[in-house]
Amino acid sequence: MKIYSSNLWTILAFALVVFSCTDPAEVTPELEDKKDDKDQAEVAIPLRELFKDYFLIGAAVTPQQTDLGTAHGQALKTHYASLTAENVMKPDALQRVKGQFTWDNADRIVQFAKNNNMKVRGHTLTWHSQSPDWMFYDENGDLHTPEVAMKQLEEHITTVVSRYKGDVYAWDVVNEAMFDWDPNGQIIYREDSPWYKIMGPAYIDSAFVYARRADPDAKLFYNDYNSIFSWKRNKIYDLVKRLKDNGIPIDGIGLQGHWSVNTTESDLRTTLNLFRELGVELHITELDIPVYASNDEPGSTEYNSTFSFRQKVAYSMIFNVLLDYSDIITNVTFWGIGDDHTWLDKPGRKAFPFLLDEELKPKPVYFEVQKLVQKR
Ligand code: G3I
């Protein structure tokens, strides 16, 4: 796999967004400890039940986690109504070698979902990352012509979507195609994506058309991160508007919820109000809230009352907003099951980003969210 400079942009953008604000959580640890003790006595309502009147609640999974003989399998069955493959439905997982599809891992997740009355969100059909080089480059290392690349894209999407027709109810058809950090709004698309280099934005339109042809009933989404910030949400709005105006089949926007304890209510509401104007469904696709308030904060491998307090404040605000928009938000998917497995962990610096802890048991923040749902 080639390493693209866009990965650097991704990292920089995440860092900027997560750590650019001040921590709104003024922490009183003593108070928090007391509150947490009280929480322990409460009975957890399974998440899928808690949110059943509002939206499907989901988790990203590995195939190994979809086994009822394990704690992960049991937690999935208890709490989640929708599954997303964290990695195994990406292009490099399904078609690493041209023409040779590898279905086992993805099938395992789909079968588990069917057995346990869950929906499946497919992630993802078209992406500049985690895609095999042959999709973009010929044997000399030169970019394919638009014709060759488009044909390969069509074959990939048609084969994958057809296989899971009726089983995958929503697809992230195109992932992260917009340029991320551009305060002046001069650069619209992620121009270092090999898809873009080969044919400009035409691949986006075509991907949706191919997906709709392969499964007319699947819901088709454009999925991106940092979508709650002005510099990006306007580009996403313009893209989706253009697609709709041109008759390109798109049903929704996936907002990757890689948010932070500093995420603001106003960024969320402004974005949801803007996207509402498009008349599309919204999915929160990759929700995780790491415990750190700044990049400079020392890492920890222990969850503490400060982290707990921050997460209570952040998750309460976030779910309160999401519930307010549950007429247009139809799926909220965490990017993992519990704190034992997350892409955010680094050696010596655990992120603890979920409502379930490392043993997949409800954390105090879980009960905080539960209370606010019950109050509505
Ligand atoms: O499968 C190999 C394994 O064979 C090898 O031994 C190991 C050594 O590092 O790497 C394994 O691959 C890793 C893969 O996850 C599976 O675990 C890759 O290195 C690692 O880069 C990859 O990270 C994934 C990342 O996407 C790649 O971009 C994360 O798990 C996954 O959570 C993350 O998910 C993305 C969404 O798809 C799109 N939005 C952002 C989100 C977070 O980055």
Side-chain angles (χ1 to χ4, degrees):
M1 293 292 294
K2 288 187 176 10
I3 307 229
Y4 302 109
S5 57
S6 52
N7 290 341
L8 180 62
W9 277 111
T10 304
I11 292 162
L12 287 173
F14 267 119
L16 184 85
V17 164
V18 170
F19 302 126
S20 60
C21 315
T22 49
D23 180 6
E26 286 301 322
V27 179
T28 314
E30 303 74 29
L31 183 69
E32 280 326 290
D33 289 338
K34 247 194 265 159
K35 218 160 181 265
D36 286 359
D37 286 347
K38 180 174 158 281
D39 289 335
Q40 302 305 322
E42 297 181 40
V43 175
I45 298 171
L47 293 174
R48 65 182 290 170
E49 208 176 301
L50 188 66
F51 289 107
K52 72 176 186 320
D53 294 335
Y54 300 99
F55 32 67
L56 294 175
I57 196 90
V61 295
T62 68
Q64 295 74 23
Q65 290 169 329
T66 58
D67 177 346
L68 284 181
T70 67
H72 292 100
Q74 288 298 324
L76 288 172
K77 186 176 176 175
T78 301
H79 288 291
Y80 299 104
S82 176
L83 299 185
T84 305
E86 184 181 2
N87 283 299
V88 302
M89 282 192 183
K90 291 172 179 173
D92 69 347
L94 290 181
Q95 198 184 177
R96 179 170 289 278
V97 177
K98 182 170 160 54
Q100 291 179 26
F101 286 83
T102 314
W103 303 113
D104 292 4
N105 283 327
D107 282 358
R108 200 167 149 188
I109 292 171
V110 170
Q111 193 55 49
F112 181 86
K114 285 166 86 169
N115 294 346
N116 294 287
N117 190 26
M118 298 161 172
K119 304 259 195 196
V120 178
R121 289 195 86 261
H123 174 83
T124 176
L125 297 171
T126 315
W127 196 16
H128 62 276
S129 176
Q130 286 183 283
S131 296
D133 286 347
W134 64 260
M135 277 191 169
F136 308 122
Y137 303 96
D138 66 18
E139 56 283 358
N140 300 318
D142 297 324
L143 286 170
H144 288 307
T145 62
E147 293 71 27
V148 169
M150 195 75 107
K151 186 84 199 132
Q152 293 182 164
L153 180 65
E154 180 177 10
E155 281 166 5
H156 182 80
I157 291 178
T158 304
T159 306
V160 173
V161 175
S162 301
R163 180 176 183 89
Y164 295 116
K165 188 169 188 284
D167 291 336
V168 168
Y169 91 109
W171 279 103
D172 290 333
V173 178
V174 177
N175 200 40
E176 302 172 5
M178 311 313 284
F179 187 58
D180 192 52
W181 175 241
D182 176 29
N184 300 323
Q186 300 295 314
I187 305 171
I188 307 299
Y189 296 99
R190 186 190 286 269
E191 294 179 1
D192 58 358
S193 159
W195 285 120
Y196 187 92
K197 283 188 190 161
I198 292 170
M199 63 182 101
Y203 75 93
I204 301 174
D205 305 41
S206 297
F208 280 95
V209 171
Y210 301 147
R212 175 58 37 97
R213 259 189 227 148
D215 184 355
D217 296 327
K219 291 173 189 283
L220 308 182
F221 281 73
Y222 174 74
N223 189 49
D224 213 330
Y225 63 90
N226 281 354
S227 39
I228 61 170
F229 300 107
S230 54
W231 71 83
K232 192 110 172 236
R233 68 177 165 237
N234 293 333
K235 290 178 194 174
I236 295 172
Y237 176 93
D238 290 346
L239 169 71
V240 175
K241 177 133 188 5
R242 178 179 74 71
L243 293 176
K244 283 177 67 89
D245 287 350
N246 291 341
I248 301 296
I250 178 167
D251 300 300
I253 302 172
L255 294 87
Q256 297 182 16
H258 299 299
W259 296 329
S260 85
V261 292
N262 297 319
T263 290
T264 68
E265 182 161 355
S266 113
D267 278 335
L268 285 177
R269 287 191 188 272
T270 305
T271 305
L272 295 169
N273 287 337
L274 179 71
F275 289 173
R276 179 191 285 289
E277 289 174 22
L278 291 164
V280 292
E281 269 183 58
L282 304 180
H283 286 182
I284 308 303
T285 53
E286 307 186 11
L287 182 57
D288 47 23
I289 312 290
V291 292
Y292 300 101
S294 94
N295 213 3
D296 301 328
E297 191 173 349
S300 172
T301 55
E302 300 293 328
Y303 196 66
N304 61 42
S305 58
T306 302
F307 294 163
S308 185
F309 184 72
R310 286 177 186 162
Q311 283 194 315
K312 284 178 181 177
V313 173
Y315 266 121
S316 296
M317 181 278 286
I318 286 166
F319 272 107
N320 217 13
V321 172
L322 300 185
L323 290 168
D324 281 350
Y325 289 81
S326 61
D327 58 324
I328 49 172
I329 297 175
T330 50
N331 185 309
V332 176
T333 289
F334 289 95
W335 204 238
I337 306 172
D339 288 345
D340 64 309
H341 172 88
T342 166
W343 72 288
L344 294 165
D345 277 354
K346 301 197 168 47
R349 189 180 177 90
K350 284 190 59 64
F352 305 104
F354 301 119
L355 301 183
L356 301 180
D357 68 13
E358 290 171 280
E359 294 179 349
L360 311 182
K361 300 210 171 68
K363 290 155 66 173
V365 56
Y366 185 114
F367 294 103
E368 200 74 5
V369 170
Q370 177 170 309
K371 264 183 275 175
L372 84 85
V373 180
Q374 287 175 313
K375 271 195 212 135
R376 289 177 82 97

